[in-house]
Amino acid sequence: MKYTKPVLVVHGGAGDWSKRDYEKGLTEIKKTLERGYEEFKKGSAIEAVVEAIAYMEDSGVFDAGIGSVKNSEGEVEMDAGIMHGNSWKVGAVASVKAKNPIKEALKVMLDGRHVLLVGERGERSITNFIGNNGGDTVGAVALDEQGNLVAGTSTGGISGKLPGRVGDSPIPGAGYYATPRVAVSSTGIGEIILRILPAKEVDMLVSMGFSIEDSVRAVINKITELFGKSNVGLIGIDYKGYATAYYNTVGMARGVKDKNIVRVFVFEGEI
Ligand code: ASP
């Protein structure tokens, strides 16, 4: 569907939302959209994406920030990444315990010397992890008035993962990707997403002339054909303001806000 700039699309993970407090998920997605959208008044799509994701990291409802799941040693190790499509700038962190991993990823992007840093970062580590109610990885994509396209993703990863395991979320092209054409954020099983690089595939299909909607759907269908269902969800937006979301799981918490409309869904519903 086409939206009026500026546009913010967010997700709170693809998974079995029938077993979760999805009402709470929907409420938080709505609040996230309000919080992130405020940033368009003074900032760009970068601030909208970062603040939307930071809000979800602080909510404790999703598998990110204080809501992050634990690894097999009972520790939390988080991954996050952000990309500004128009400049191809990108920054990411992996295996961190910082309060807001997305803000650490932003620092890496703004610094510009590197793309991905691992290990402890940030002045403040979180110690008060509260776990979540079954929510998942969080992500956001945005298009501002000036045409900036930005994508970001943040996660605690997969419950019971081995220490040091890094998923798709901090890897450009896998967990997120932005170009002058599109911005995409992924969620699902990192070990599958890392093999297909769905966010990159969406950009390639759009560059060949397919719509963002057909491209996102085609990539989800390809993953379903190769690996079966219940493993992936994507949100995407293009430079014209067309936004879309698809998943092959039971549900995906997601929402979109533009100048006139706010729409949030966990199960059926078109973005
Ligand atoms: N993609 C994340 C990971 O594998 C998990 C998720 O999206 O729920 O780390």
Side-chain angles (χ1 to χ4, degrees):
M1 199 173 283
K2 187 162 190 199
Y3 293 92
T4 311
K5 286 193 279 188
V7 192
L8 176 64
V9 188
V10 304
H11 73 77
D16 191 354
W17 279 89
S18 66
K19 300 201 179 107
R20 301 172 185 168
D21 186 350
Y22 65 83
E23 297 282 354
K24 183 131 199 216
L26 278 176
T27 308
E28 286 302 315
I29 289 287
K30 214 176 269 174
K31 286 195 202 158
T32 302
L33 288 168
E34 299 295 340
R35 177 65 198 90
Y37 207 83
E38 251 175 58
E39 295 297 315
F40 286 128
K41 285 186 202 148
K42 46 183 171 35
S44 71
I46 296 177
E47 285 77 25
V49 163
V50 169
E51 292 305 326
I53 290 179
Y55 179 88
M56 291 192 276
E57 290 174 339
D58 291 340
S59 73
V61 172
F62 306 101
D63 175 18
I66 59 167
S68 291
V69 297
K70 299 212 162 92
N71 68 17
S72 60
E73 304 286 307
E75 294 280 316
V76 169
E77 291 178 328
M78 296 171 285
D79 306 329
I82 183 164
M83 185 158 183
H84 176 242
N86 313 65
S87 65
W88 298 86
K89 280 188 184 151
V90 57
V93 292
S95 277
V96 298
K97 289 182 168 55
K99 182 176 176 300
N100 290 112
I102 194 65
K103 293 191 177 173
E104 301 307 318
L106 175 66
K107 283 185 205 162
V108 176
M109 182 175 95
L110 295 177
D111 177 82
R113 277 176 291 176
H114 305 295
V115 165
L116 173 61
L117 295 177
V118 298
E120 207 32 68
R121 316 208 39 80
E123 294 106 52
R124 268 175 74 194
S125 320
I126 325 183
T127 46
N128 60 329
F129 290 105
I130 58 172
N132 65 68
N133 72 346
D136 261 309
T137 294
V138 304
V141 297
L143 170 70
D144 64 23
E145 301 263 19
Q146 288 71 41
N148 291 295
L149 278 162
V150 176
T153 301
S154 178
T155 188
I158 283 181
S159 185
K161 66 188 181 180
L162 293 176
R165 177 267 190 188
V166 174
D168 57 299
S169 305
I171 309 298
Y176 60 102
Y177 202 53
T179 70
R181 282 178 293 267
V182 298
V184 179
S185 172
S186 319
T187 167
I189 298 170
E191 283 68 13
I192 288 177
I193 297 173
L194 279 166
R195 282 176 249 191
I196 300 298
L197 307 177
K200 165 82 181 153
E201 286 235 326
V202 168
D203 176 64
M204 194 193 67
L205 289 169
V206 170
S207 78
M208 290 163 68
F210 296 100
S211 71
I212 180 101
E213 193 180 345
D214 286 348
S215 303
V216 167
R217 195 177 36 216
V219 174
I220 297 281
N221 288 343
K222 173 175 171 176
I223 293 177
T224 307
E225 272 162 34
L226 286 168
F227 300 101
K229 280 190 161 227
S230 300
N231 48 37
V232 71
L234 297 173
I235 57 171
I237 188 166
D238 73 5
Y239 67 99
K240 293 181 202 144
Y242 283 93
T244 194
Y246 279 96
Y247 52 93
N248 67 7
T249 51
V250 173
M252 175 164 71
R254 61 200 186 279
V256 58
K257 181 168 165 56
D258 79 348
K259 266 204 163 133
N260 314 308
I261 317 171
V262 185
R263 294 154 71 83
V264 296
F265 305 100
V266 168
F267 303 113
E268 295 288 288
E270 195 193 332
I271 274 189

